């Protein structure tokens, strides 16, 4: 797919491991389950945004930028990985953060990811309630330009056609790992939020003419909006790759596992996080992978997969947020 045409910096630990989830598969009665460990991409606790940032930061540097600006919630994993990439590459970094989740305890407000953002030396700007983060990023970029800086704005979640290239490359990596092990991967299951991760995978497997289908689990509690974002980013990514002539691939986003809303803990999420910890020694996160795993467990219970099929759960990281949600796990968590 000619990924080599696009500028890319290398700071992710790749390939990430592909490991069997033997005890979970046995307990659930199949299918064959694997976890793709993108929580192990290595940059300041890793996660899926590191793959996107290899292309986004390369694009910034190629254009002469000296400052990265991005936005997210107070517990955003994306802004934490952006701050780390900026530190590595000697770029200044400004983070526009919104209080997008109604949690006000000390762990949430100053622990977990935001603690790491500050440690990484980023400028942290917490927006007053009701202000628009895209406008705030643009305003900040204007002020920095007036001071002679050269800012580069990365969208929320790193989700655009450039960032999604990281997951086009990840699709090829999964395809290669499966081939090496004689595995036929039928489905990849992934948390879907801003949509760039699923979009990159969809575009990547499509471009490879792969058998593998991608199932997104909506964590926004608004699956129609999430699916529309995935579709839009997938189409943009295919166009960016020059495959726009091909029929656009189908996009599946499963509703019903976002609980009461983005970042709000659900009983099902807490059960999934505890179950994976105790069965597999695998730590999930409370906002994305806990809900996505709950979705996968529910799909298996509903008979979605044949016992002979192979399903890969993409672990997108996010564990630093566990410490910000300590109170949600009180009592056996
Ligand atoms: C950002 C994020 C996701 C969602 O990825 P999108 O590309 O925004 O859909 C999933 N898991 C974790 C841990 C994340 O930080």
């Amino acid at each position: 797919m000619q990924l080599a045409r696009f500028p890319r910096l290398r700071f992710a630990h790749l390939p990430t491991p592909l490991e069997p989830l033997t005890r979970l598969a046995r307990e659930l009665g199949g299918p064959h389950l694997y976890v793709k460990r993108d929580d192990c991409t290595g940059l300041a606790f890793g996660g899926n945004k590191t793959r996107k940032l290899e292309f986004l930061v390369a694009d910034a540097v190629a254009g002469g930028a000296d400052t990265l600006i991005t936005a997210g919630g107070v517990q955003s994993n994306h802004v934490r990985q952006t701050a780390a990439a900026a530190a590595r590459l000697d770029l200044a970094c400004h983070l526009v953060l919104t209080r997008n989740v109604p949690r006000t305890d000390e762990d949430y407000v100053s622990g977990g990811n935001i603690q790491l953002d500050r440690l990484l030396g980023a400028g942290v700007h917490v927006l007053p309630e009701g202000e628009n983060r895209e406008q705030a990023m643009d305003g900040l970029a204007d002020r920095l330009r007036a001071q002679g800086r050269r800012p580069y704005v990365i969208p929320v979640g790193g989700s655009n056609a450039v960032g999604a290239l990281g997951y086009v490359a990840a699709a090829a990596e999964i395809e290669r790992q499966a081939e090496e092990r004689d595995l036929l991967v039928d489905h990849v299951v992934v948390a879907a939020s801003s949509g760039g991760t699923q979009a990159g995978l969809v575009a990547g497997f499509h471009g490879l003419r792969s058998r593998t289908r991608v199932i997104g689990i909506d964590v926004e509690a608004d699956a129609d909006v999430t699916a529309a974002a995935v579709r839009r980013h997938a189409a943009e990514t295919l166009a960016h790759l020059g495959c726009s002539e091909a029929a656009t691939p189908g996009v599946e986003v499963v509703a019903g596992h976002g609980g009461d809303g983005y970042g709000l803990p659900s009983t099902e999420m807490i059960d999934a996080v505890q179950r994976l910890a105790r069965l597999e020694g695998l730590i999930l996160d409370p906002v994305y992978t806990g809900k996505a795993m709950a979705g996968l467990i529910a799909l298996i219970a509903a008979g979605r997969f044949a016992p002979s099929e192979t399903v890969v759960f993409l672990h997108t990281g996010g564990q630093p947020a566990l410490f910000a949600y300590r109170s949600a796990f009180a009592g056996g968590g």
Side-chain angles (χ1 to χ4, degrees), residues 55-56 158-166 168 233 235-241:
F55 288 93
L56 288 163
S159 283
N160 60 18
V162 176
L165 293 176
V168 172
H233 292 311
E236 285 166 2
T237 306
L238 284 165
H240 194 51
L241 285 164

Side-chain angles (χ1 to χ4, degrees), residues 38-39 41-50 53 70-87 93 95 97 112-122 285 288 316-322:
D38 273 16
D39 57 319
T41 52
L43 184 69
F45 293 121
N48 61 334
K49 303 313 182 306
T50 300
L53 287 163
T70 197
V74 166
Q75 288 300 330
S76 166
N77 303 298
H78 161 68
V79 306
R80 181 238 316 153
Q81 288 162 81
T82 303
C93 184
L95 306 174
L97 304 187
N113 280 301
I114 191 170
Q115 179 183 349
L116 298 172
D117 298 340
R118 295 199 161 105
L119 187 60
L120 291 160
D285 85 284
Y288 300 96
T316 43
Q319 294 103 324
L322 264 186

Side-chain angles (χ1 to χ4, degrees), residues 91 93 99 118 171 289 303:
L91 301 168
C93 184
R99 295 205 171 90
R118 295 199 161 105
T289 56

Side-chain angles (χ1 to χ4, degrees), residues 65 130 166 223 266 271 323:
S266 63
D271 287 348
F323 305 108

Side-chain angles (χ1 to χ4, degrees), residues 102-194:
R103 292 184 77 83
T104 52
D105 60 291
E106 193 57 23
D107 292 337
Y108 192 87
V109 171
S110 26
N113 280 301
I114 191 170
Q115 179 183 349
L116 298 172
D117 298 340
R118 295 199 161 105
L119 187 60
L120 291 160
V124 172
H125 313 263
V126 180
L127 271 197
E129 201 92 34
E131 279 192 30
N132 178 287
R133 53 194 181 186
E134 277 74 27
Q135 280 170 12
M137 285 198 287
D138 289 344
L140 185 56
D142 287 342
R143 288 198 296 284
L144 288 166
R145 262 182 231 109
Q147 294 164 19
R149 309 285 312 190
R150 295 184 303 277
Y152 180 93
V153 176
I154 296 176
V156 171
S159 283
N160 60 18
V162 176
L165 293 176
Y167 274 89
V168 172
E173 184 179 302
I174 292 169
E175 197 83 349
R176 245 183 340 266
Q177 277 176 320
E179 224 171 86
E180 279 162 19
R181 299 190 204 184
D182 266 334
L183 287 177
L184 292 174
V185 177
D186 297 289
H187 306 275
V188 171
V189 173
V190 61
S193 176
S194 65

Side-chain angles (χ1 to χ4, degrees), residues 221-265:
D222 199 346
D224 291 342
V225 170
T226 304
V230 174
R231 260 184 230 111
R232 187 176 72 247
H233 292 311
E236 285 166 2
T237 306
L238 284 165
H240 194 51
L241 285 164
C243 332
S244 46
E245 79 290 344
T248 38
V251 162
E252 178 178 5
V253 174
V254 174
H257 303 284
D260 290 334
Y262 173 84
L264 300 179

